[in-house]
Amino acid sequence: MTEADEGIRLAKRVAALAGCSRREAELLIENGAVRVDGEPTLLPQSRVRPEQSVEIEAGARPQPVVPVTLLLHKPAGMPTDNAHRLLVAANHHEPERAGLRFLPRHVAAQRCMTPLETGASGLVVFTQEWRVERKLQEDAGILEHEVMVDVAGPVGPETLARLERSSARVSIGQQAEGHTGLRFALKGARPGQIAHICDDAGLQILAMKRIRIGRVPLAGLLPNQWRYLTPTERF
């Protein structure tokens, strides 16, 4: 097969057009500054044929992609170890924010800092930012987690008092026939901790959803959706 048939690597073509190094060409592509036949192309290893049009955004600079932190609504039944598979463009809650476009680099080498039980749903934090990683590690024991827990049957004053003697602050969110919604707020939450508290109180958990970590809420994310942590948000 000839080069005309299979094409050449996009990074090589961009390097020739821009008069820059191959690495600088890769950075231009990864930052979304390159279009092939009018369409954004984000993969440096993709191939282009000689007759295809390659354009570089005016004024674009070959800078490394800025690390980001992602907030995911993990669905119940998915192990946290598999949750990174949901960090794809199709599950992005917002197409853009503050001029930041989704780039494949944003989901590469993401580290999960706040695991959840497989049966639980709710907020999970992934980050590439060392400052966020250090914050979540160093403050793990004092960071408050807010979790909504649906348990079977009613929860009377005696059971509630028993729950409140645990390491969590517990209140009743709603009472309905056959189940009760409880709100747990606890610091340094660990997977399995709430289940242990409920088990000690003789309560059967029906569902569990984490809705806040520190000052960062789950907000309007649906299961499987993710969004960027904004510059003004702090844990």
Side-chain angles (χ1 to χ4, degrees):
M1 184 176 291
T2 67
E3 184 176 279
D5 292 325
E6 65 174 8
I8 63 171
R9 281 174 58 92
L10 178 59
K12 182 177 179 180
R13 178 87 170 266
V14 170
L17 282 173
C20 63
S21 70
R22 189 76 61 88
R23 179 55 187 152
E24 288 174 326
E26 290 173 351
L27 291 174
L28 287 170
I29 297 165
E30 290 168 359
N31 275 286
V34 175
R35 291 176 176 267
V36 176
D37 292 337
E39 296 294 327
T41 304
L42 301 169
L43 300 176
Q45 68 271 24
S46 61
R47 306 187 78 85
V48 291
R49 297 184 303 278
E51 70 272 15
Q52 289 186 281
S53 168
V54 176
E55 300 171 283
I56 303 171
E57 187 177 301
R61 301 179 63 184
Q63 298 174 327
V65 177
V66 176
V68 295
T69 296
L70 308 180
L71 308 176
L72 170 72
H73 186 165
K74 184 189 83 68
M78 170 174 279
T80 299
D81 288 347
N82 296 338
H84 67 279
R85 299 174 184 174
L86 298 174
L87 302 177
V88 295
N91 292 336
H92 186 192
H93 183 58
E94 301 166 302
E96 293 186 5
R97 67 124 177 114
L100 181 59
R101 293 174 290 193
F102 170 76
L103 303 172
R105 281 280 183 184
H106 289 162
V107 298
Q110 284 283 354
R111 298 176 293 281
C112 178
M113 303 303 301
T114 55
L116 269 177
E117 300 94 328
T118 296
S121 66
L123 182 59
V124 175
V125 180
F126 288 85
T127 191
Q128 300 169 332
E129 301 180 80
W130 69 268
R131 289 184 180 85
V132 173
E133 182 175 0
R134 186 175 67 180
K135 168 73 174 178
L136 293 176
Q137 288 176 335
E138 292 181 350
D139 292 354
I142 60 174
L143 207 60
E144 185 173 77
H145 296 231
E146 185 175 353
V147 184
M148 305 306 293
V149 181
D150 205 21
V151 298
V155 175
E158 183 177 328
T159 302
L160 187 61
R162 188 172 180 179
L163 289 170
E164 290 174 342
R165 289 194 293 270
S166 70
S167 55
R169 291 186 291 112
V170 186
S171 59
I172 295 177
Q174 62 173 349
Q175 293 265 23
E177 185 176 353
H179 66 92
T180 301
L182 298 174
R183 173 190 173 275
F184 279 72
L186 67 166
K187 295 182 178 180
R190 304 179 305 276
Q193 186 175 2
I194 291 177
H196 180 71
I197 293 171
C198 289
D199 190 55
D200 281 350
L203 296 174
Q204 177 191 356
I205 293 178
L206 302 176
M208 188 185 312
K209 181 168 74 172
R210 181 163 61 195
I211 62 171
R212 177 175 59 84
I213 299 174
R215 291 171 287 179
V216 176
L218 180 64
L221 289 179
L222 298 175
N224 299 336
Q225 287 186 333
W226 63 269
R227 69 175 179 88
Y228 291 102
L229 181 75
T230 68
T232 58
E233 289 181 300
R234 299 288 184 272
F235 288 99

